[in-house]
Amino acid sequence: MTSVNVKLLYHYVLTNFCNLCLFPLTAFVAGKASRLTTNDLHNFFSYLQHNLITVAILFAFTVFGLVLYMVTRPKPVYLVDYSCYLPPPHLRASVSKVMDVFYQIRKADTSRNVACDDPSSLDFLRKIQERSGLGDETYGPEGLLHVPPRKTFAAAREETEQVIIGALENLFENTKVNPREIGILVVNSSMFNPTPSLSAMVVNTFKLRSNIKSFNLGGMGCSAGVIAIDLAKDLLHVHKNTYALVVSTENITHGIYAGENRSMMVSNCLFRVGGAAILLSNKPGDRRRSKYKLAHTVRTHTGADDKSFRCVQQEDDESGKIGVCLSKDITNVAGTTLKKNIATLGPLILPLSEKFLFFVTFVAKKLLKDKIKHYYVPDFKLAVDHFCIHAGGRAVIDELEKNLGLSPIDVEASRSTLHRFGNTSSSSIWYELAYIEAKGRMKKGNKAWQIALGSGFKCNSAVWVALRNVKASANSPWLHCIDRYPAKIDSDLSKSETRVQNGRS
C-alpha cells in the first residue's frame, strides 16, 4: 500500500511539475511588480515608442504564427453517436443449439466420408465452446439456425443486410441525420464481399447522394473497424463540413467451416452475429451533441514477418473445404504486435511520469544488460480510464490483461461482451463501449482505448475523449440485460469448466 501511495505521489508531482513551479515564479513576479513606480512605467512606454518597428515586427510574427497554427492544425473529428445491432430473440444461440447447428451442417454435407456424429470431433467442438467464455444468449444467423441449415450465398447476403440495415436505421433514428447529408461511407466486412459491394447496398437502401465518397474494406480481419475509423478520419481532414458513416460487420453464414481440421473448427465456436454503425463529423456545430472526440489512431502491421502473416489464414483443408486456420503462434504474434503498437501509442498518451520511468529503465537495461531483465511496463491506467479490448476469445483477453497489467474491472466490458454477444469481429469494440456507457461509467474528460487485433497480423488502436457524461443511446444492446453483468459470467464459466471436467472423467 505504501509503494502505491509513493508512486501516486511521484506521478502527481512530475505530472504537475510545471504548475508547481509556476507558483513561486508567480510570487516572484508579483513581488517585483509591486515595487514598480510610476516613473518605471513611464520609462517602459517611452522605450516602446522609440522602438515601434521592433514592436511591430514582433506583433506581426505573433499574429502570423497564430494564423498558421489555426489553418494547419487538424480539424477535430467528433463521434456523434453509434449503434450496435441487436438481433431478434428467435436468433439466440445457446451452447447446445450451436452444437446442434454443427451436427446439422455435418449431416447435410453428403460429400463427407466421416460419420456426421463422429464423437471425437463433436467432443472437441463442445470443449472449445464451453471454454470459450461465450454464454447461452449469443446470436446466430437465421440461415444456419434453420433446419436444415441454409449455407447459401442468398442466406449470407440476407444475414449481412439484416445487420447493416438494422444498425443504420437505429443510428439515423437516434441522430435525426438525413442519410443524404452523409458525404463519406466506409464499410468493412472481412469474409463476405459480394458484387455489388456492401457499400453500394447501403447507398441503394438509404438513397445516399451520388457524389458520396464510398469505400468497401475486405479481408482485413477483426481489426478492420479501427482501420475504417482511421480512413474516415483522414477523409474528414480533407473534406470539410460533412459526415462520415462507418459500418463494421462480419458474416457467419459464408464463413462457417464444415470440415475436420481442428485448427479451422475453433473459429466456428467463437464468432457470432453482430455489427455496428458509427456516425463521425467534422462540423464545429456538432461538438455540443457529440459523445466523443477522436484523440489518436495508431495502426501496426507485422505482415512482413511470415509467422505473423500466416497465423490467421483462410485456406483449403485436406478435403478441399475452405476455412480460417488459426495457428498455435497466434498468441505470441498478438503479444509482439501489441507491444509494437503501444510503443507508438504510449508517447502520445502516457503522462510524463511514466515516460520518465520507461526512459530510465531503458537506459539502465542498455548499460546493465545482465542485472535488468525486462523493460518497465508503463501503467496505462494513469492515461486511460476505460479499455475496450477486442473480444476475440477468453485467451486473448487474458493475455492482454496480463501484458498491460490491468485489473478485472478494466477487462469487464470485454469479458461481458464476449459472454453476451460472442466474437462479433470488428464490431466487438463498440459493444464494449456501449457496455461502459450502460453502466454509467463514462464521465466527461474520460479516455477510452479501443484495441483491435486481426489477421495480417495487425494491431490497431483508437483513443476517444468523452465530451460529456455519456449515457447509453436509445435501443442500446445492453438495455435489457446490463443488470445481470458481470456477476453472471463467473458462474457460467465455472459451470462450463465443471462440465468439461465431468466429460473427461
Side-chain angles (χ1 to χ4, degrees):
M1 189 68 180
T2 305
S3 61
V4 174
N5 291 333
V6 169
K7 185 173 182 180
L8 288 175
L9 177 62
Y10 158 78
H11 167 71
Y12 177 82
V13 170
L14 207 58
T15 303
N16 297 279
F17 182 75
C18 292
N19 292 335
L20 294 173
C21 291
L22 189 62
F23 288 117
L25 181 62
T26 303
F28 175 77
V29 172
K32 286 289 185 180
S34 65
R35 298 190 184 95
L36 292 175
T37 64
T38 307
N39 190 44
D40 293 329
L41 294 175
H42 177 75
N43 291 336
F44 176 72
F45 283 112
S46 177
Y47 175 81
L48 292 179
Q49 289 175 352
H50 288 87
N51 294 274
L52 287 177
I53 296 177
T54 303
V55 173
I57 292 174
L58 290 174
F59 180 75
F61 269 109
T62 303
V63 172
F64 177 77
L66 288 173
V67 171
L68 186 65
Y69 169 76
M70 295 295 292
V71 171
T72 58
R73 69 169 182 169
K75 301 299 180 184
V77 173
Y78 302 114
L79 193 162
V80 180
D81 204 351
Y82 64 97
S83 171
C84 297
Y85 177 66
L86 181 64
H90 72 273
L91 295 183
R92 283 187 180 172
S94 63
V95 172
S96 60
K97 195 169 186 178
V98 170
M99 290 305 303
D100 185 57
V101 169
F102 294 157
Y103 176 83
Q104 293 293 338
I105 291 174
R106 295 157 69 84
K107 184 179 179 180
D109 187 1
T110 56
S111 65
R112 300 165 57 86
N113 296 320
V114 182
C116 64
D117 58 348
D118 177 22
S120 62
S121 293
L122 290 176
D123 186 52
F124 172 77
L125 286 169
R126 185 177 292 106
K127 288 180 179 179
I128 293 295
Q129 187 70 42
E130 292 178 334
R131 293 172 175 173
S132 64
L134 277 70
D136 283 331
E137 294 185 321
T138 60
Y139 298 92
E142 194 151 4
L144 295 183
L145 295 179
H146 186 270
V147 180
R150 292 187 296 116
K151 191 178 180 294
T152 62
F153 190 86
R157 184 189 291 273
E158 180 184 344
E159 175 199 335
T160 296
E161 288 181 352
Q162 285 178 350
V163 173
I164 292 178
I165 294 173
L168 285 174
E169 285 179 342
N170 188 52
L171 179 66
F172 288 136
E173 174 64 27
N174 290 346
T175 59
K176 308 302 179 186
V177 169
N178 188 327
R180 293 190 64 82
E181 295 182 62
I182 305 298
I184 299 164
L185 172 65
V186 184
V187 179
N188 70 269
S189 174
S190 186
M191 302 291 289
F192 184 63
N193 293 282
T195 300
S197 67
L198 297 178
S199 60
M201 182 272 290
V202 173
V203 172
N204 176 260
T205 303
F206 294 94
K207 309 306 176 188
L208 304 186
R209 65 199 200 196
S210 60
N211 64 343
I212 190 168
K213 307 294 185 292
S214 64
F215 301 85
N216 203 96
L217 307 181
M220 305 194 79
C222 299
S223 66
V226 176
I227 295 174
I229 292 292
D230 186 57
L231 174 59
K233 177 198 73 173
D234 291 342
L235 291 167
L236 285 171
H237 285 163
V238 176
H239 302 280
K240 310 299 182 184
N241 204 41
T242 190
Y243 289 109
L245 186 62
V246 175
V247 182
S248 296
T249 188
E250 191 51 89
N251 191 281
I252 310 302
T253 305
H254 189 69
I256 199 75
Y257 174 66
E260 291 293 325
N261 189 316
R262 294 193 172 186
S263 64
M264 294 182 175
M265 291 181 184
V266 175
S267 60
N268 286 353
C269 302
L270 297 175
F271 286 93
R272 296 291 188 272
V273 170
I278 303 98
L279 183 65
L280 304 176
S281 173
N282 59 8
K283 298 182 179 182
D286 280 328
R287 178 185 172 90
R288 295 188 65 181
R289 70 169 183 147
S290 296
K291 288 185 170 184
Y292 304 95
K293 183 177 75 171
L294 183 59
H296 305 286
T297 54
V298 172
R299 293 166 54 181
T300 304
H301 199 313
T302 57
D305 177 70
D306 290 341
K307 187 184 292 185
S308 296
F309 178 72
R310 295 192 176 94
C311 70
V312 181
Q313 188 162 335
Q314 187 180 27
E315 58 189 19
D316 295 323
D317 68 3
E318 299 79 5
S319 60
K321 291 177 173 40
I322 298 176
V324 176
C325 179
L326 305 178
S327 78
K328 296 179 180 178
D329 299 319
I330 187 170
T331 304
N332 292 333
V333 167
T336 301
T337 311
L338 172 68
K339 289 177 182 177
K340 291 185 178 181
N341 185 266
I342 63 178
T344 304
L345 181 65
L348 298 176
I349 63 173
L350 285 171
L352 180 62
S353 57
E354 292 300 291
K355 294 177 186 177
F356 180 72
L357 282 176
F358 179 81
F359 174 75
V360 169
T361 56
F362 178 82
V363 173
K365 183 172 172 55
K366 291 293 183 182
L367 298 175
L368 307 170
K369 295 181 180 179
D370 298 331
K371 295 184 179 180
I372 300 177
K373 296 182 179 180
H374 303 287
Y375 292 115
Y376 172 72
V377 179
D379 186 357
F380 280 91
K381 289 182 285 186
L382 294 174
V384 177
D385 303 284
H386 307 285
F387 297 83
C388 300
I389 299 169
H390 167 55
R394 207 172 156 194
V396 173
I397 299 172
D398 289 344
E399 188 69 18
L400 267 67
E401 179 183 8
K402 177 183 175 183
N403 288 344
L404 294 175
L406 304 180
S407 62
I409 196 171
D410 294 322
V411 295
E412 182 184 307
S414 300
R415 294 197 190 281
S416 299
T417 296
L418 181 65
H419 183 270
R420 177 65 179 86
F421 297 100
N423 181 350
T424 60
S425 190
S426 57
S427 65
S428 68
I429 53 177
W430 296 105
Y431 286 88
E432 293 163 17
L433 191 61
Y435 177 90
I436 296 168
E437 292 177 2
K439 283 291 186 181
R441 297 172 182 169
M442 189 64 71
K443 306 302 180 184
K444 183 178 180 180
N446 280 182
K447 291 181 180 178
W449 179 11
Q450 292 178 322
I451 309 172
L453 301 164
S455 59
F457 195 86
K458 300 180 287 293
C459 177
N460 302 316
S461 294
V463 179
W464 303 89
V465 180
L467 298 176
R468 52 186 166 88
N469 293 342
V470 182
K471 297 180 181 179
S473 301
N475 300 318
S476 166
W478 296 97
L479 187 63
H480 302 294
C481 61
I482 190 64
D483 293 335
R484 302 204 309 265
Y485 286 89
K488 186 175 171 25
I489 303 174
D490 299 328
S491 61
D492 276 13
L493 289 179
S494 61
K495 289 177 183 176
S496 297
E497 295 291 347
T498 303
R499 287 198 296 267
V500 171
Q501 291 173 2
N502 290 340
R504 287 176 180 169
S505 59

